[in-house]
Amino acid sequence: ILLPTDTLWCLACVADDPVALERMRRVKAANQLQPYELLFTDLKMLKQYAPQLNPRLETLLMYHRRPLTVLTKAGCGLHPIALMEDRKMAARVTTNNYCRNLIRLLDKPLATIPAYFSGSPFPDHFGRVRSDIIEAVDYVSRYRLKESLSGKPTIMVRVDQQEELEFIRE
């Protein structure tokens, strides 16, 4: 589906559906590949899929007010296609009520990819999503069609080998 997240319009599917994950990759094209960001309803749900979540990342997620993506080791329950090398995942606790309710309804995290191509503006509102992307999805959300989102990818952080927080994307 195509939907608005906390920051951008994204392609999304359940994180354990290999057919849907591969379809999203094809829509983005092979030269545009980037890791999926997995959306969770809350910290409790994230910890079900990342049981070894570093305490520093957990604390940051509890107190950070802006959308934040953390790189962490994944546990079980996610399809390998949704993960990066070494079973790591880019995970975010969503603050978007629409996404949160959809995840609760499905009882599974969502895998997302921003709905844009390199050289195009970030899709901070529905009007910036290219028509070929719209035509490629099975469903387009009607939520927040006329609103602008923040327009930037989320802040991304991980814990480095010295157990320090490393901000990869600010």
Side-chain angles (χ1 to χ4, degrees):
I1 66 173
L2 178 66
L3 54 75
T5 65
D6 306 291
T7 58
L8 300 170
W9 276 80
C10 292
L11 298 169
C13 70
V14 290
D16 66 350
D17 184 339
V19 173
L21 290 164
E22 283 299 330
R23 261 186 82 197
M24 283 188 356
R25 281 202 194 274
R26 281 196 306 272
V27 169
K28 285 288 287 195
N31 64 348
Q32 301 284 322
L33 292 182
Q34 61 191 88
Y36 295 105
E37 286 194 18
L38 305 179
L39 303 185
F40 299 87
T41 56
D42 53 32
L43 192 53
K44 180 180 175 186
M45 183 185 202
L46 171 57
K47 288 175 72 173
Q48 290 174 346
Y49 292 89
Q52 298 176 2
L53 182 65
N54 186 290
R56 287 179 180 228
L57 293 176
E58 184 175 345
T59 301
L60 193 58
L61 284 167
M62 287 173 47
Y63 295 105
H64 204 269
R65 294 293 164 232
R66 292 176 40 208
L68 176 71
T69 301
V70 298
L71 297 182
T72 187
K73 190 110 171 142
C76 299
L78 298 168
H79 198 280
I81 296 171
L83 306 176
M84 298 180 294
E85 300 116 31
D86 301 332
R87 289 204 48 85
K88 291 203 173 162
M89 66 175 163
R92 178 165 27 122
V93 174
T94 185
T95 59
N96 179 296
N97 285 330
Y98 182 83
C99 291
R100 190 178 293 139
N101 289 335
L102 183 57
I103 295 165
R104 282 187 185 125
L105 179 69
L106 298 168
D107 197 29
K108 297 178 181 185
L110 290 178
T112 65
I113 297 178
Y116 79 101
F117 294 99
S118 293
S120 301
F122 286 120
D124 60 349
H125 57 84
F126 181 72
R128 285 222 170 129
V129 178
R130 288 179 25 173
S131 60
D132 54 339
I133 292 177
I134 295 168
E135 291 170 8
V137 300
D138 293 325
Y139 180 77
V140 176
S141 168
R142 300 291 177 221
Y143 178 68
R144 299 180 74 180
L145 281 175
K146 297 182 182 189
E147 293 179 40
S148 289
L149 307 174
S150 76
K152 295 186 284 187
T154 60
I155 295 169
M156 187 178 283
V157 64
R158 69 177 169 198
V159 174
D160 66 18
Q161 298 208 349
Q162 289 77 37
E163 291 293 310
E164 297 294 325
L165 292 174
E166 178 184 4
F167 287 85
I168 300 166
R169 185 173 66 204
E170 291 189 49

